[in-house]
Amino acid sequence: MRELMQPSKDEIKLVEVLHALADPVRLTILGRLADSGRESCSGISETIDVHQTTMSHHYRVLREAGLTWTTVEGRSRYVSLRREDLNERFPGLLDAVLTPLRAG
Amino acid sequence: MRELMQPSKDEIKLVEVLHALADPVRLTILGRLADSGRESCSGISETIDVHQTTMSHHYRVLREAGLTWTTVEGRSRYVSLRREDLNERFPGLLDAVLTPLRAG
């Protein structure tokens, strides 16, 4: 199968991170990952009422921007938040976005 | 002349702020305002090699998202950063974005 494009820490770009953050569904995914650490894409998608094709697009935007790691295990994909990489690249950004999200 | 749409502090929405931030020209404008406090749109536009129509779009996105205040004085428009409002709504977000911008 094809390799998934995932930027190295130093390749993560501020504008792309901000673009990836600027969507309510992607913020919901990130909020879940902030709590759970790591989840299967199918598990997350089950709880979000968005078409599968659209969800795949959101996972790709998050991965390519460097917000999430994606691993493929058998037929499943798992995503996790790249919290340490993001905190090193853009200190405080992730918390500044996730905190108001929790507050609703 | 028509009123400019500028959201009140409580109307500022995280997703719209993130969308407004997710553009290199708009980040450049914000970086300048962070240093200068307040500037004329024409003064900023002179130093950025982008078509005037596009610049007007960027000023509008920033204003409508609640990142900047725009005031009209005679034939000129002035913009300033809504730092206090943003820091109250989303603590740490503005600094988390502007700091890496300064670092290049």
Side-chain angles (χ1 to χ4, degrees), chain A residues 15-16, chain B residues 20-31 48 58 101:
Chain A
V15 170
E16 289 176 25
Chain B
L21 290 169
D23 179 276
V25 173
R26 293 196 290 269
L27 285 179
T28 301
I29 295 171
L30 293 173
I48 299 178
H58 288 314
L101 208 63

Side-chain angles (χ1 to χ4, degrees), chain B residues 3-79:
Chain B
E3 290 280 313
L4 297 177
M5 200 295 273
Q6 321 211 50
S8 69
K9 185 183 76 184
D10 293 339
E11 289 171 333
I12 299 176
K13 291 186 177 61
L14 180 62
V15 171
E16 289 176 25
V17 167
L18 291 167
H19 168 72
L21 290 169
D23 179 276
V25 173
R26 293 196 290 269
L27 285 179
T28 301
I29 295 171
L30 293 173
R32 280 192 53 149
L33 293 176
D35 291 330
S36 63
R38 180 170 179 271
E39 283 195 70
S40 69
C41 290
S42 58
I44 297 174
S45 300
E46 271 173 15
T47 65
I48 299 178
D49 189 21
V50 170
H51 193 279
Q52 182 53 40
T53 314
T54 310
M55 285 301 287
S56 297
H57 167 75
H58 288 314
Y59 290 126
R60 184 169 60 79
V61 172
L62 290 171
R63 172 170 51 81
E64 291 184 354
L67 280 158
T68 55
W69 284 123
T70 304
T71 52
V72 182
E73 299 180 19
R75 297 181 139 203
S76 298
R77 286 185 177 207
Y78 291 83
V79 275

Side-chain angles (χ1 to χ4, degrees), chain A residues 14-90:
Chain A
L14 180 62
V15 170
E16 289 176 25
V17 167
L18 291 167
H19 167 72
L21 289 169
D23 179 275
V25 173
R26 293 196 290 269
L27 285 179
T28 302
I29 296 171
L30 292 174
R32 279 192 55 149
L33 293 177
D35 291 331
S36 63
R38 180 171 178 272
E39 283 195 71
S40 69
C41 290
S42 58
I44 297 174
S45 301
E46 270 173 18
T47 65
I48 300 178
D49 189 20
V50 170
H51 193 279
Q52 182 52 41
T53 314
T54 310
M55 286 301 287
S56 297
H57 165 75
H58 287 314
Y59 291 127
R60 184 168 60 78
V61 171
L62 290 171
R63 171 170 51 80
E64 291 184 354
L67 280 157
T68 55
W69 284 123
T70 304
T71 52
V72 182
E73 299 179 20
R75 297 182 139 203
S76 298
R77 285 185 177 208
Y78 291 83
V79 276
S80 59
L81 193 56
R82 293 179 66 173
R83 191 188 284 277
E84 285 181 24
D85 287 345
L86 290 160
N87 285 345
E88 280 187 44
R89 289 286 284 144
F90 311 117

Side-chain angles (χ1 to χ4, degrees), chain A residues 14 17-19 21-22 27 90-101, chain B residues 12-22 27 30 34 65-67 81-102:
Chain A
L14 180 62
V17 167
L18 291 167
H19 167 72
L21 289 169
L27 285 179
F90 311 117
L93 179 58
L94 205 56
D95 283 336
V97 171
L98 293 177
T99 303
L101 208 64
Chain B
I12 299 176
K13 291 186 177 61
L14 180 62
V15 171
E16 289 176 25
V17 167
L18 291 167
H19 168 72
L21 290 169
L27 285 179
L30 293 173
L67 280 158
L81 192 57
R82 295 178 67 172
R83 192 189 283 278
E84 284 180 25
D85 286 346
L86 291 160
N87 285 345
E88 279 186 45
R89 289 285 285 143
F90 311 116
L93 179 58
L94 205 56
D95 282 336
V97 170
L98 293 177
T99 303
L101 208 63
R102 271 165 223 261

